[in-house]
Amino acid sequence: MSRKVLITGGAGFIGSRLALRLLADGHDVVVLDNLSPQIHGANPEESPLYRSIEGKVKILKGDVCSRDALREALAGRDSVVHLAAETGTGQSMYQIEHYVNVNIGATGILLDILANEKHEVKRVVIASSRSVYGEGKYISKELGAVYPEHRSVEDMKAGDFEVKYPGSSALQIAATDEDSKLHPSSVYGITKQVQEQLIMTACPSLGVEAVALRYQNVYGPGQSLSNPYTGILSIFSNLIMSGKPINIFEDGTESRDFVYIDDIVAATTLALTSDSAVGHVFNVGSGVPTDVLTVANLLNEKLGGSSPISISGNFRLGDIRHNYADLSRAESLLGFTPKVTFQEGIEQFCAWVRGVGPTKSDYEGSIDEMRAKGLLK
């Protein structure tokens, strides 16, 4: 069945790819995006992401924090994919009001319109995040499944970066399922948890179907190389292409679940169209943890770089040690299985990076800013 879809943040990395997929599937797509220079550069309407959808879908330039902009964008839409959000974990720890306003406030405005004004919306898909878990799930020999709290600054200053749990010996990382404890360790994670809960609580009471997707670390061709808050794949690639050294935080064995953009788009399309998705929260990832040092070495190899890699022992407040997704629910109810392995995805990502070349980025400035605010140790 063809849907009339609004994608908030639809000119961004995920949104633009999703818009093209939905268009190809026969859906009618409208995009609302503020074309943030942090994502699109100084001339947003000349950015590759914007140009990829220009003339193909209706693009409304507007802010999701504006009731008028949201009201206009919702007109005639029967479905919403709410992607618009601020996404930097580190940046969220000092731009607190801004992250709360954009991620929570705008979601409140969206729901307020659905509650109090005429509309045709039947389903909302919210892009949540693995950050709602904070540290992931671990197995204790003595206690079984446990969910460790934030690591102590004192331990990390001493070079001990492992998570610990009272009454337990060394912990073993496990796949984090959707029923795991929610205890985010950053302002960003808190805003995503509240955003998700707002949608999943309010929409059913309004007669609107709701689905939440907890994305892991998304990567692929088209992601911003200039935005210093978009994750290590972009940051490391840009440093390598610029011939600059790579400073790896902690001890390099911290890991993340990297999921390729095409798999994210596939899962989001299923969440929008599948009857079995309604009312559920799903992890979306690769289901495989990869450590940061492996990522840096692989990028150096695939990009033909020679950037020196140092493990500094620096650490950021708000960062977690490990988290990777248990995909059992997504496989059984959503019919989603990731298709692109990390090795395959990195090949495609690096081929794109080589074509784009190094991009001007203020990564060093972002590091200096965090250090000045006491968030980088």
Side-chain angles (χ1 to χ4, degrees):
M1 182 181 70
S2 177
R3 292 178 179 267
K4 297 178 180 179
V5 185
L6 166 64
I7 307 175
T8 68
F13 171 45
I14 298 173
S16 59
R17 293 286 283 263
L18 177 63
L20 294 176
R21 165 65 186 271
L22 294 179
L23 190 66
D25 287 352
H27 302 289
D28 176 13
V29 179
V30 168
V31 161
L32 175 65
D33 202 295
N34 69 350
L35 302 181
S36 166
Q38 181 167 298
I39 297 169
H40 294 275
N43 300 300
E45 294 184 9
E46 297 177 11
S47 75
L49 292 176
Y50 182 89
R51 291 203 305 266
S52 72
I53 59 173
E54 185 180 19
K56 299 173 184 176
V57 302
K58 182 179 180 180
I59 304 173
L60 300 175
K61 183 177 180 180
D63 196 318
V64 286
C65 293
S66 164
R67 180 179 291 268
D68 289 341
L70 271 175
R71 183 185 293 116
E72 178 185 1
L74 286 167
R77 302 292 94 189
D78 59 33
S79 306
V80 179
V81 180
H82 189 29
L83 297 175
E86 293 290 358
T87 58
T89 298
Q91 190 182 45
S92 78
M93 299 298 284
Y94 55 91
Q95 291 193 8
I96 298 171
E97 181 180 11
H98 180 62
Y99 271 70
V100 169
N101 287 342
V102 174
N103 295 359
I104 298 176
T107 303
I109 295 171
L110 170 64
L111 291 169
D112 199 71
I113 292 172
L114 297 184
N116 295 296
E117 301 183 21
K118 289 184 178 180
H119 64 84
E120 301 172 29
V121 175
K122 301 294 189 296
R123 183 176 299 193
V124 175
V125 177
I126 178 65
S128 186
S129 166
R130 59 95 183 151
S131 64
V132 302
Y133 296 116
E135 287 292 348
K137 183 178 182 178
Y138 291 79
I139 301 300
S140 161
K141 184 173 65 175
E142 295 83 5
L143 305 171
V146 296
Y147 303 94
E149 296 297 332
H150 315 326
R151 295 171 290 170
S152 82
V153 173
E154 291 72 24
D155 282 349
M156 291 193 285
K157 281 183 176 179
D160 180 1
F161 300 106
E162 294 300 332
V163 295
K164 299 177 176 62
Y165 198 84
S168 175
S169 57
L171 301 173
Q172 178 67 42
I173 183 176
T176 303
D177 59 78
E178 292 89 348
D179 294 325
S180 295
K181 181 178 178 179
L182 304 185
H183 57 152
S185 59
S186 67
V187 172
Y188 170 66
I190 292 168
T191 66
K192 296 305 287 186
Q193 178 183 352
V194 174
Q195 188 182 45
E196 175 189 311
Q197 289 173 329
L198 282 169
I199 294 292
M200 299 306 291
T201 299
C203 281
S205 71
L206 301 173
V208 176
E209 299 170 342
V211 186
L213 301 177
R214 293 174 181 164
Y215 295 153
Q216 290 279 339
N217 293 60
V218 188
Y219 74 100
Q223 70 184 93
S224 175
L225 298 180
S226 61
N227 184 353
Y229 306 103
T230 54
I232 62 170
L233 284 169
S234 289
I235 292 168
F236 288 176
S237 297
N238 216 23
L239 290 172
I240 292 168
M241 294 294 287
S242 302
K244 296 180 179 180
I246 295 174
N247 171 23
I248 292 182
F249 294 166
E250 301 190 17
D251 61 2
T253 63
E254 63 273 20
S255 67
R256 299 292 184 268
D257 182 333
F258 297 97
V259 56
Y260 194 67
I261 181 62
D262 290 357
D263 286 327
I264 286 289
V265 168
T268 308
T269 301
L270 287 168
L272 182 68
T273 57
S274 171
D275 289 340
S276 61
V278 175
H280 293 288
V281 175
F282 297 99
N283 287 331
V284 184
S286 68
V288 178
T290 304
D291 70 74
V292 173
L293 183 57
T294 295
V295 171
N297 285 324
L298 192 57
L299 288 172
N300 232 350
E301 174 193 336
K302 299 298 182 183
L303 292 172
S306 56
S307 292
I309 298 172
S310 62
I311 298 174
S312 65
N314 294 139
F315 60 92
R316 296 189 312 177
L317 302 185
D319 275 350
I320 63 165
R321 184 66 170 166
H322 302 294
N323 190 320
Y324 75 101
D326 182 323
L327 301 176
S328 303
R329 183 183 295 178
E331 291 170 355
S332 63
L333 292 181
L334 200 58
F336 167 73
T337 302
K339 305 297 184 187
V340 183
T341 67
F342 188 61
Q343 288 283 344
E344 293 167 340
I346 282 293
E347 289 280 358
Q348 297 179 56
F349 173 71
C350 288
W352 171 76
V353 169
R354 287 193 296 270
V356 173
T359 302
K360 183 179 180 181
S361 170
D362 191 26
Y363 173 64
E364 290 82 2
S366 71
I367 293 296
D368 290 343
E369 189 171 27
M370 290 201 68
R371 184 177 285 112
K373 294 181 181 297
L375 297 169
L376 177 65
K377 305 295 184 181

